[in-house]
Amino acid sequence: MADKARLSLNQITTNRWSVAEAADACARHGVRSIALWRHKIEEVGLEACVRAVRDAGLHVSSVCRGGMFPAPSAKERAERIEDNFRAVDEAAALGADSLVMVVGGCGEIELGDARKMVADGIAALVPYARERGVKVGLEPLHPMYAADRSVLVTIGQALELAKAYDPSGLGVILDTFHIWWDPQVENLIEQAAGRIYGFHVSDWLVPLPDVLMGRGMMGDGVIDNRKLRTLVEKAGYGGPIEVEIFNQLIWDSDPEAVLIQIIERFEKFV
Amino acid sequence: MADKARLSLNQITTNRWSVAEAADACARHGVRSIALWRHKIEEVGLEACVRAVRDAGLHVSSVCRGGMFPAPSAKERAERIEDNFRAVDEAAALGADSLVMVVGGCGEIELGDARKMVADGIAALVPYARERGVKVGLEPLHPMYAADRSVLVTIGQALELAKAYDPSGLGVILDTFHIWWDPQVENLIEQAAGRIYGFHVSDWLVPLPDVLMGRGMMGDGVIDNRKLRTLVEKAGYGGPIEVEIFNQLIWDSDPEAVLIQIIERFEKFV
């Protein structure tokens, strides 16, 4: 059983809450870590968020998200890298374990070119992040998001991209929703040892209700979160475990009830 | 540009047509090959289908589909293998290039166990198919179908499963919708040389309209079908190219108009 002390609320799961509301609820329910989203940070300002998590005694497991590097013009790509610098600044101010990268989809850009733009963006970002003490976490997304969200789709691809960098600066974020299907998942998690910056859990519902908004609460789908958690631990990761669920029904529910269920399901299925 | 002589109509794309209607339309439009589905064969009987394709002068590129091996009980698994034997018989009677395998999802079964059940099913099926001159084609499906349709999700995994068998009896079916996202796709197609039994095209729409019924017509999405066709040819495959599209809007359209569009798009984008 996973130690509840490792549970982190990824605030998108309780999307109706502001940063302060989510932080307060975590404190009341004994959840020690939280992951913040940039659009939520922007709602109230960075300083207010730093205060909110400090007042609640919380650790920030990650800031979501940097990335989105591929764009048709050099100007747009430069703007996106600049925006990633701002994300690094926010992660630094919050003392987050890492800045999560959702690298961007290919859209109208040729897939190989889009992947090169991602590599270029990472190359620009990592030194900036290192100077500010921020770890950059590459999150391979499920291949069904390759066109619109992330041309980075496997752990293997993330490790290939990361290997040119020091393991203390560029690593991977492993989310069970995105990686559970991979026939190589056991070997790849083992190979990721020393570069695992974060671990996310949720579940894969059958049938999948929606491509983006159809993730399930742990225990409601087919993912063996406990097995994957054990593999990640064997590879040396002992940090926070984020519960990150994109699901309209869950977002529409009472966030307090959702948090209570997260804790129950975390202890039962993770 | 792909030679129109290689175009094959996978009849699911014109789902409103019976086997005879689809075969007749192919003959009228100069399409030389067709792929038949078993539920369509069942509607009129195997003998009528054999006559229909023979009368239309068509080649049968594949029969869709065998597979669906994972099941909770040994009795169910044996029944499914028995059903696969019937699929082989149909493919043999139709002189099809191959029997396409959609191997089955994991559902309630542990993923590793489901994959073992697939390997066991294939082991039972290949000798039966070989005796009847039928090639068995493993089709890796997109990872978003791992739970409900196919625990076989990458070309690499299919080749790993196939390598214990003679390349003349067990190979792979490469469908651009299922494989386009794979960072290793070029290497893997090269490694598949000698085992490529079929090649399918369609497109990936952005945003994806539906997990199952959201495939697009070539040219309407982000897949570089021509590049993938070229890679498959370099690996030695020169056989029929099936257009296989699951899309409710296309299914609801006039099938004759769909076939005309398929030919245009095939010549323009494949």
Side-chain angles (χ1 to χ4, degrees):
Chain A
M1 205 171 93
D3 183 355
K4 186 187 160 190
R6 293 179 62 198
L7 172 59
S8 175
L9 175 66
N10 185 301
Q11 75 166 137
I12 209 72
T13 312
T14 52
N15 192 36
R16 282 160 57 183
W17 274 338
S18 67
V19 169
E21 288 168 331
D24 173 67
C26 284
R28 284 187 287 105
H29 288 280
V31 174
R32 299 188 190 175
S33 300
I34 192 166
L36 301 186
W37 278 70
R38 292 188 70 208
H39 65 283
K40 294 283 191 180
I41 295 170
E42 200 180 4
E43 281 172 11
V44 290
L46 181 58
E47 289 314 309
C49 293
V50 170
R51 271 197 310 276
V53 296
R54 192 181 50 206
D55 291 352
L58 294 179
H59 173 76
V60 178
S61 55
S62 73
V63 167
C64 305
R65 58 191 190 192
M68 298 294 164
F69 296 110
S73 73
K75 179 169 176 290
E76 286 166 286
R77 293 195 293 277
E79 285 167 0
R80 293 185 184 201
I81 289 169
E82 190 61 35
D83 184 58
N84 273 274
F85 291 165
R86 299 295 78 75
V88 167
D89 297 341
E90 293 170 21
L94 288 158
D97 288 345
S98 66
L99 173 63
V100 173
M101 290 285 116
V102 173
V103 300
C106 56
E108 297 300 298
I109 299 160
E110 194 274 323
L111 183 58
D113 290 341
R115 285 177 169 150
K116 283 192 199 87
M117 292 172 192
V118 169
D120 291 346
I122 292 296
L125 187 61
V126 170
Y128 183 92
R130 177 181 297 282
E131 284 172 19
R132 285 146 189 90
V134 172
K135 289 167 178 268
V136 176
L138 296 167
E139 183 170 16
L141 257 55
H142 193 283
M144 70 185 172
Y145 301 124
D148 48 5
R149 280 180 182 78
S150 175
V151 293
L152 185 73
V153 289
T154 67
I155 306 171
Q157 188 190 0
L159 293 177
E160 184 66 26
L161 179 54
K163 73 179 184 187
Y165 298 86
D166 191 282
S168 68
L170 185 62
V172 296
I173 305 288
L174 302 178
D175 182 315
T176 63
F177 183 85
H178 296 307
I179 65 171
W180 73 276
W181 57 271
D182 193 324
Q184 299 296 321
V185 72
E186 299 195 18
N187 290 341
L188 288 167
I189 291 175
E190 198 179 321
Q191 288 170 35
R195 286 201 194 262
I196 303 173
Y197 290 176
F199 181 56
H200 299 179
V201 294
S202 64
D203 217 330
W204 184 282
L205 304 176
V206 183
L208 191 68
D210 185 77
V211 175
L212 180 61
M213 295 298 294
R215 296 194 204 181
M217 183 65 71
M218 301 81 72
D220 287 343
V222 302
I223 298 177
D224 190 341
N225 280 294
R226 181 156 296 167
K227 181 182 174 186
L228 291 166
R229 192 257 300 165
T230 307
L231 290 170
V232 165
E233 281 173 13
K234 273 189 194 153
Y237 182 74
I241 301 171
E242 290 182 17
V243 175
E244 185 189 42
I245 307 178
F246 289 76
N247 181 302
Q248 198 60 53
L249 289 176
I250 291 175
W251 287 13
D252 291 342
S253 304
D254 170 33
E256 193 88 17
V258 170
L259 183 56
I260 291 166
Q261 189 184 40
I262 284 171
I263 295 167
E264 289 169 2
R265 296 297 185 88
F266 184 83
E267 298 192 315
K268 190 162 179 190
F269 295 105
V270 184
Chain B
M1 205 172 93
D3 184 355
K4 187 187 161 190
R6 292 179 62 197
L7 171 59
S8 175
L9 174 67
N10 185 301
Q11 76 166 139
I12 209 73
T13 311
T14 51
N15 192 37
R16 281 160 58 184
W17 273 338
S18 68
V19 169
E21 288 168 330
D24 174 66
C26 284
R28 283 187 287 107
H29 289 279
V31 174
R32 300 191 190 172
S33 300
I34 192 167
L36 302 186
W37 277 70
R38 293 188 68 207
H39 66 283
K40 294 283 192 181
I41 295 171
E42 201 180 4
E43 281 172 12
V44 289
L46 181 59
E47 289 314 310
C49 293
V50 170
R51 271 197 309 275
V53 296
R54 192 182 49 207
D55 291 351
L58 294 179
H59 173 75
V60 178
S61 55
S62 73
V63 167
C64 305
R65 57 190 192 199
M68 298 292 163
F69 297 110
S73 73
K75 180 169 175 289
E76 286 165 286
R77 292 196 294 278
E79 285 166 0
R80 292 184 184 202
I81 289 169
E82 190 62 33
D83 184 57
N84 273 275
F85 291 164
R86 298 294 77 74
V88 166
D89 297 341
E90 294 170 21
L94 288 158
D97 288 343
S98 66
L99 173 64
V100 174
M101 291 285 116
V102 172
V103 302
C106 56
E108 296 300 298
I109 298 161
E110 194 275 323
L111 183 58
D113 290 341
R115 285 176 169 151
K116 283 194 200 88
M117 291 172 191
V118 169
D120 291 346
I122 292 296
L125 186 60
V126 171
Y128 183 93
R130 175 181 300 280
E131 283 172 21
R132 285 146 190 90
V134 171
K135 288 167 178 270
V136 177
L138 297 167
E139 183 170 16
L141 257 55
H142 193 284
M144 70 185 174
Y145 301 124
D148 46 7
R149 281 181 181 76
S150 175
V151 293
L152 185 74
V153 289
T154 66
I155 306 171
Q157 188 190 1
L159 293 177
E160 184 65 27
L161 180 54
K163 72 179 185 188
Y165 299 84
D166 192 282
S168 67
L170 185 62
V172 296
I173 305 288
L174 301 179
D175 182 314
T176 63
F177 182 84
H178 297 308
I179 66 171
W180 73 276
W181 57 271
D182 193 325
Q184 300 296 320
V185 73
E186 300 194 19
N187 290 341
L188 289 168
I189 290 175
E190 197 179 321
Q191 288 170 37
R195 286 198 194 264
I196 302 173
Y197 291 175
F199 181 55
H200 299 180
V201 294
S202 64
D203 217 331
W204 184 282
L205 303 176
V206 182
L208 192 69
D210 185 78
V211 175
L212 180 61
M213 295 300 294
R215 295 195 203 181
M217 183 66 71
M218 299 81 72
D220 287 343
V222 302
I223 298 177
D224 190 342
N225 280 293
R226 181 156 296 168
K227 181 182 174 185
L228 292 166
R229 192 257 301 164
T230 306
L231 290 170
V232 165
E233 279 173 14
K234 273 190 194 153
Y237 181 74
I241 300 171
E242 290 183 20
V243 174
E244 185 190 42
I245 306 178
F246 289 76
N247 181 304
Q248 198 60 54
L249 289 176
I250 291 175
W251 288 12
D252 291 342
S253 305
D254 169 34
E256 193 88 17
V258 170
L259 183 56
I260 290 166
Q261 189 183 40
I262 285 173
I263 295 167
E264 288 169 2
R265 297 297 186 89
F266 184 83
E267 298 192 317
K268 191 163 179 191
F269 294 105
V270 183

